Structure formats: C-alpha cells, structure tokens
Amino acid sequence: MEITIILSSVTIMAIIILIGMLIAGNYKITDESKQLLVTIIMNISVPSIILNGVFNTHINDQLLSKMFVIFLLSITFNAVGIGLGWLSAIIFGFRTIVAKKIAILAGLGNTGFIGIPVCTTLFGSNGGLLAAIYDAGLDVIVFTLVTILLKTERKFSFRNFKASINIPVIAIMIGVLVAITGYKPPLVIKSLVDILSNLAAPLAMLYVGLLIPPFFIENKKISIRFISISLLMKLLVIPTLMVAVLHTMSITTDVKLVVLIQLSMPTFMLATVLFTKYDGDDKTAVMTTIFSTIFSLMTIPLIAYIGGLLL
C-alpha cells in the first residue's frame, strides 16, 4: 500500500473537516440539518457506493469468496475488539456500565459512515464493496452483542436484529442478486449511481467538521482517563494487534488492506444513539467520537505504514 496515497487522502479529509468547522463557526447548524446530511450519506451515497462497486466489478466465485471471508473477519475482529476494550477498562479500574461503554467505543469503528467512502477513495469501487461487507458484519455485532451488553435484562430480541436491516444492507442484497442474475443496468442508472457515490466522502467529512465547533463552544467537561483509554485502544492498540493477526493469515492482500483500513477507523457514531437509548447518557460517546475522528487523521497513516511493512 502506497503510504503517499494514504497521506494524500487523509490530508484531503482534514481539509474538508476544516471547511465544515468554518461553516459551523459562521452559521447555526441545527439538528435537522445534521440529520439531513446523515440521511443523504447513509441512505443515498453509501448504497450508491455499494451498487457502483457491483456494477463496475466482475462478480465471480473468487470475489464472492472474498466477500464471505471479510464478513466473517468483521464479526470476529469486532467481537474481539470489544473484548479487548472491556479487558483494558477492567485493568484500569472501570466496572459495570462504564467498562461496557469503553469496550464498545474501543472495539467498534466508523466503518460505514467514514470507512466505506475512504476505502472507495483508496481502493476503487471494488474496495468500497468489500468495505460495505465489513460494515455489514459490524452491524451484526452492534444489534446482537452490543445491545445485550447495554440492556440490563441481558436478553437478545429479534426486533433488535431486524434494526440492522438498513438501506446499505438492502443495497448489498440487491447487489448480490444483480451479480447472481447477471443483470446489466441501463447506462443512465450506472452513471447516476457513480455520481451519487462520489458524494459520500466529502459529505461525511463535512458532517464531522460541523460537529466540532459546537462541542468546544459548550466547553463540556470530559473524563481524561475514560477518553484516553478508549482512544488508545481504538486507534493504536487494537489495530496494531490485528495487523499482526492479519500477517499470519492466508488471505488475499486486497482483503487484508480493506480490513486494515476499517480497523483504523475512529469510533463509530452510532454509539451516541445506543448510549442515549439504553443509558440516557450520550456525552461520553459524543466526546470520544469527536476526539477519535480528529486523532485518527494522524493514526490512520501510521497503521497503514505498519500494515505496509507486514502485509
């Protein structure tokens, strides 16, 4: 993997985030406007990335095998990440719900909202498709293991699992169906999907930038120890350990690279929603997400460099 490509992409990400910060500093950004951006990204642009990957990639047995492997790796690595995060929380003296929060924030990354656009930028439409499969694996963990951890009754409900059937997942299903049937979409559909897929990365970075100024203006108090453990595990310790694991595995390099980039993503934004729903406190998730995204601009190239040496 060319580290210069990673550095260039991260630099562009940082600039777009800065633009978002400047916009938020000069205009009042409402919850409705932020939700509109999220809706466009997750329900239009990300599904377009997935379909664009299918339309521009020859789906054969080899690619289907890669998709299956990366789905299993996602479930395994995300579950292990939560376990390592929980262990680190216990080692540093955290218990009960706080330890569970650290486990979730340290173990799960923003593989959909940011990861899919980044992988598409780095590896093309094929990389975006594989990144979407990885994110689908994370969704399985979120709506099974994570909800069990956060719910006091510790009982899994099939209703929670149904929540993982979102528009990007539906796009994956449609894409697999298109691949199996060999359907060739009209040129206008392919062009439309290609154009819409290009919106994802810049809009995602703009959204992150919009979140930062209000956070610092409100001057919220933060738990340095809580944030530090979560960030250290999510951005450095867990990705580095997983790089060593990937080095020993007999899988194709492109799968390893997509998994590596997904592992290096900052904390996932859905944590804010989940913590609010089950614990009534979203402050820790918001703080960790913002700082994680900022620092990931420095750690992503580092993890990519380590991966380039080992993979």
Side-chain angles (χ1 to χ4, degrees):
M1 187 191 314
E2 287 289 339
I3 192 64
T4 53
I5 298 176
I6 300 291
L7 289 172
S8 175
S9 298
V10 169
T11 300
I12 292 172
M13 287 168 57
I15 293 172
I16 298 176
I17 289 174
L18 179 60
I19 293 172
M21 292 174 61
L22 293 174
I23 293 172
N26 289 279
Y27 297 92
K28 182 179 180 181
I29 307 299
T30 64
D31 290 339
E32 289 77 12
S33 59
K34 288 187 289 187
Q35 185 58 46
L36 175 61
L37 267 181
V38 171
T39 300
I40 293 173
I41 294 166
M42 295 306 298
N43 293 342
I44 298 177
S45 294
V46 167
S48 295
I49 287 177
I50 298 167
L51 294 177
N52 192 50
V54 173
F55 294 162
N56 291 282
T57 304
H58 177 59
I59 306 293
N60 50 30
D61 291 342
Q62 184 181 19
L63 181 57
L64 288 174
S65 175
K66 290 179 182 179
M67 293 165 66
F68 180 71
V69 168
I70 206 167
F71 183 74
L72 292 182
L73 287 176
S74 175
I75 292 176
T76 302
F77 283 1
N78 284 306
V80 170
I82 290 175
L84 292 173
W86 200 346
L87 179 62
S88 69
I90 293 174
I91 291 174
F92 284 94
F94 291 100
R95 296 293 185 273
T96 64
I97 188 65
V98 179
K100 295 177 183 179
K101 286 182 177 181
I102 291 177
I104 293 166
L105 294 171
L108 301 181
N110 203 335
T111 57
F113 194 80
I114 296 178
I116 295 175
V118 169
C119 286
T120 303
T121 301
L122 295 175
F123 309 119
S125 56
N126 191 30
L129 177 60
L130 292 177
I133 300 299
Y134 188 97
D135 184 60
L138 181 139
D139 286 340
V140 171
I141 293 297
V142 167
F143 292 102
T144 53
L145 179 58
V146 171
T147 52
I148 291 172
L149 285 175
L150 292 176
K151 290 174 67 175
T152 54
E153 64 266 26
R154 293 176 174 271
K155 183 173 66 176
F156 169 68
S157 170
F158 185 70
R159 183 173 56 186
N160 291 327
F161 183 74
K162 287 196 298 182
S164 65
I165 307 301
N166 49 42
I167 292 182
V169 171
I170 292 173
I172 292 175
M173 295 177 180
I174 294 173
V176 171
L177 183 62
V178 167
I180 293 174
T181 59
Y183 173 72
K184 300 296 182 182
L187 180 60
V188 64
I189 298 297
K190 293 181 66 174
S191 299
L192 175 63
V193 166
D194 181 51
I195 292 171
L196 292 176
S197 67
N198 291 325
L199 295 175
L203 288 182
M205 297 306 110
L206 281 175
Y207 178 83
V208 171
L210 295 178
L211 295 178
I212 296 174
F215 174 81
F216 288 105
I217 290 173
E218 293 173 11
N219 195 26
K220 294 182 179 180
K221 295 181 180 180
I222 61 174
S223 170
I224 300 298
R225 195 158 66 104
F226 181 98
I227 296 291
S228 299
I229 295 171
S230 301
L231 296 187
L232 184 64
M233 293 298 295
K234 179 69 201 75
L235 299 178
L236 290 175
V237 177
I238 293 176
T240 302
L241 289 175
M242 296 307 179
V243 167
V245 173
L246 285 170
H247 176 66
T248 66
M249 300 182 71
S250 299
I251 54 178
T252 58
T253 302
D254 55 344
V255 170
K256 289 183 178 181
L257 293 178
V258 170
V259 171
L260 172 64
I261 294 300
Q262 290 288 53
L263 286 169
S264 65
M265 286 297 106
T267 297
F268 78 138
M269 292 183 176
L270 187 59
T272 302
V273 177
L274 293 173
F275 287 8
T276 301
K277 179 178 179 180
Y278 293 109
D279 185 54
D281 173 30
D282 65 346
K283 185 174 69 173
T284 52
V286 172
M287 291 187 298
T288 306
T289 299
I290 290 176
F291 281 106
S292 177
T293 303
I294 294 172
F295 286 115
S296 71
L297 297 175
M298 294 176 281
T299 57
I300 289 174
L302 175 62
I303 297 301
Y305 177 74
I306 295 174
L309 295 177
L310 296 179
L311 301 183

